[in-house]
Amino acid sequence: MNNVLKNKSYNFALRIVNLTKYLQEEKKEFILSKQILRSGTAIGALIAESEYAQSKSDFISKLHISIKEANETNYWLNLLKDSSYINDKMYKSLSPDLTELLKILTSSIKTAKENNV
């Protein structure tokens, strides 16, 4: 498993946990914060699960689901920005990390398919 992907997804999940705390404590926002907490932490959880996949197809499937969670997280992040729960600075701090995770995940799936991991 790509340790860079595992580490980046874990660090992103920590940032999402902190964002959720901020949204709940400072903005008193509980619905959207729970949604982004769920999807934003699921990215890394699925990557961790993929390490013990039962087969190549299971491995690839877990990474595909992780991409879906990342796309969902992107949706919630944009919604939080556009509804003014987070400012542009906060958005611009998180968005590039999410984009990077998507790129690494896509590359990892491609490599796994090519190399019969």
Side-chain angles (χ1 to χ4, degrees):
M1 167 52 56
N2 183 342
N3 283 332
V4 170
L5 181 57
K6 188 176 176 182
N7 291 337
K8 285 184 180 288
S9 63
Y10 185 83
N11 289 331
F12 183 78
L14 284 174
R15 295 186 70 204
I16 291 295
V17 168
N18 288 328
L19 173 62
T20 300
K21 286 181 187 177
Y22 164 79
L23 289 168
Q24 292 180 355
E25 293 172 5
E26 301 296 322
K27 299 289 187 172
K28 304 301 181 209
E29 198 303 306
F30 299 97
I31 306 302
L32 299 176
S33 62
K34 287 180 183 175
Q35 294 284 23
I36 199 166
L37 177 65
R38 189 203 52 74
S39 65
T41 57
I43 300 165
L46 285 155
I47 291 165
E49 272 186 61
S50 75
E51 287 186 288
Y52 296 98
Q54 297 173 2
S55 64
K56 171 190 154 189
S57 61
D58 185 38
F59 174 80
I60 292 169
S61 175
K62 294 213 183 315
L63 293 186
H64 269 294
I65 297 168
S66 186
I67 285 177
K68 290 169 71 174
E69 295 293 342
N71 279 323
E72 182 181 338
T73 302
N74 190 50
Y75 173 84
W76 297 121
L77 193 58
N78 280 298
L79 190 60
L80 287 165
K81 176 183 66 91
D82 292 342
S83 62
S84 299
Y85 277 109
I86 62 173
N87 60 35
D88 278 346
K89 183 179 179 184
M90 294 169 80
Y91 175 82
K92 289 177 181 175
S93 172
L94 287 163
S95 184
D97 290 349
L98 187 54
T99 300
E100 184 179 15
L101 282 172
L102 281 164
K103 287 178 182 177
I104 297 170
L105 280 164
T106 302
S107 177
S108 296
I109 290 170
K110 182 180 177 192
T111 301
K113 286 180 177 178
E114 290 172 354
N115 294 337
N116 292 327
V117 171

